[in-house]
Amino acid sequence: MNSGKRLLRWASGIMIVLGSGHLFLLALTAWQDITGWVRRGMWAAVPLALGDGGAVQTVESLQNKVTFWGGPGSFAVPLILLGCLTWHLAGRGVAVPAGIGWGVAAWCALGGVLLVPSPFFAGVVAGALIIVAARKKDLHPAVHAGTS
């Protein structure tokens, strides 16, 4: 396995673990809210209230919204999908653009600063690994072209 592929596999593993861990911890801490969605229907997760904008929200409805936006509506699902895509592309030998790595690193650095303490900073490592893998991938054709 070449080093670029190994770096991308590590980056994807970090992203998958971060996203899955986030959803797992949410399931442990807010299990009653999640089972309430199943009991009342998935539309009960964040009910749409267009009519009365000045209505007083209950603690239960606010907790319900926090659980939704902290779980399925959070960064966790897209992060898992990005990790799976990165894993798949690494297996095919396709380089993930460095811009994706920069975006993940910047987003996770900002999230880590705003939400301390948090494992957001591990996402910076994943972003850096993507950047390094993209740079290594860019260097290989130039090196091989110069030696032929």
Side-chain angles (χ1 to χ4, degrees):
M1 183 183 315
N2 68 11
S3 63
K5 182 176 179 178
R6 187 176 301 121
L7 293 172
L8 287 176
R9 289 280 167 102
W10 272 101
S12 63
I14 291 169
M15 290 186 284
I16 291 169
V17 167
L18 280 175
S20 300
H22 190 269
L23 291 178
F24 178 73
L25 286 175
L26 177 86
L28 287 178
T29 59
W31 186 249
Q32 289 181 344
D33 292 327
I34 295 169
T35 56
W37 298 343
V38 174
R39 196 173 52 255
R40 294 185 313 261
M42 286 305 289
W43 58 88
V46 182
L48 182 61
L50 294 176
D52 190 14
V56 177
Q57 296 186 2
T58 64
V59 172
E60 181 181 290
S61 71
L62 289 174
Q63 179 61 36
N64 207 28
K65 290 177 184 178
V66 166
T67 301
F68 174 78
W69 290 113
S74 73
F75 74 94
V77 175
L79 193 61
I80 292 168
L81 293 173
L82 181 60
C84 290
L85 177 64
T86 303
W87 185 277
H88 175 75
L89 292 176
R92 295 180 138 220
V94 177
V96 176
I100 299 297
W102 282 110
V104 169
W107 172 57
C108 289
L110 179 64
V113 168
L114 294 176
L115 190 65
V116 173
S118 86
F120 254 118
F121 290 115
V124 175
V125 174
L129 291 172
I130 292 172
I131 294 164
V132 171
R135 302 261 168 129
K136 284 185 180 255
K137 193 70 171 180
D138 290 342
L139 292 177
H140 286 300
V143 171
H144 293 303
T147 59
S148 309

